[in-house]
Amino acid sequence: QVQLVESGGGLVQPGGSLRLSCAASGTIFSINTMNWYRQPPGKQRELVARITSGGNANVADSVKGRFTISRDKANYTLYLQMNSLKPEDTAVYYCNFQQVWAGTMYDDWGQGTQVTVSS
């Protein structure tokens, strides 16, 4: 099992920037994807950005051009650079690793970090 710890959240004014980090520890065997999800108040959790084991990165249309996902492959650290933040980006942001072993997919989640965009 992988332990994931997010950091970097906080309160920021509209138009500001934040950089989220996700540090991993524990048993890492075969990562399929590394992902950022978010859950706005009163809404369902949604995928924000994904990076595959091969390095292909994608972000949701709602954050395209503003958010960038990246990773440090050597130590399995995941990042989310968030620029031009809007009030609708307010949410709890979660790091997620998907691993595959012997045909079974495993999901591990961090505890989440709060991002609040407000003036």
Side-chain angles (χ1 to χ4, degrees), residues 1-76:
Q1 189 172 0
V2 179
Q3 291 77 46
L4 302 173
V5 178
E6 301 98 335
S7 61
L11 173 64
V12 64
Q13 292 187 342
S17 298
L18 284 174
R19 188 190 195 207
L20 304 184
S21 299
C22 174
S25 61
T27 304
I28 297 174
F29 36 87
S30 180
I31 291 179
N32 186 37
T33 61
M34 302 165 73
N35 311 292
W36 286 102
Y37 284 78
R38 69 183 181 186
Q39 187 164 15
K43 297 184 179 180
Q44 290 187 332
R45 193 173 296 189
E46 62 183 8
L47 179 65
V48 176
R50 165 169 290 164
I51 188 164
T52 69
S53 58
N56 292 318
N58 289 286
V59 298
D61 287 343
S62 59
V63 304
K64 197 162 289 184
R66 300 187 297 121
F67 289 14
T68 304
I69 187 171
S70 62
R71 65 179 178 178
D72 182 334
K73 197 174 181 181
N75 60 15
Y76 300 102

Side-chain angles (χ1 to χ4, degrees), residues 41-118:
K43 297 184 179 180
Q44 290 187 332
R45 193 173 296 189
E46 62 183 8
L47 179 65
V48 176
R50 165 169 290 164
I51 188 164
T52 69
S53 58
N56 292 318
N58 289 286
V59 298
D61 287 343
S62 59
V63 304
K64 197 162 289 184
R66 300 187 297 121
F67 289 14
T68 304
I69 187 171
S70 62
R71 65 179 178 178
D72 182 334
K73 197 174 181 181
N75 60 15
Y76 300 102
T77 302
L78 185 66
Y79 302 99
L80 185 68
Q81 179 67 43
M82 306 186 295
N83 299 326
S84 302
L85 282 160
K86 304 176 180 179
E88 51 264 43
D89 295 319
T90 295
V92 179
Y93 284 71
Y94 297 92
C95 175
N96 163 256
F97 280 19
Q98 287 187 346
Q99 301 195 75
V100 178
W101 181 257
T104 300
M105 183 168 288
Y106 298 86
D107 265 304
D108 290 292
W109 295 87
Q111 82 289 350
T113 185
Q114 177 71 46
V115 171
T116 302
V117 184
S118 175

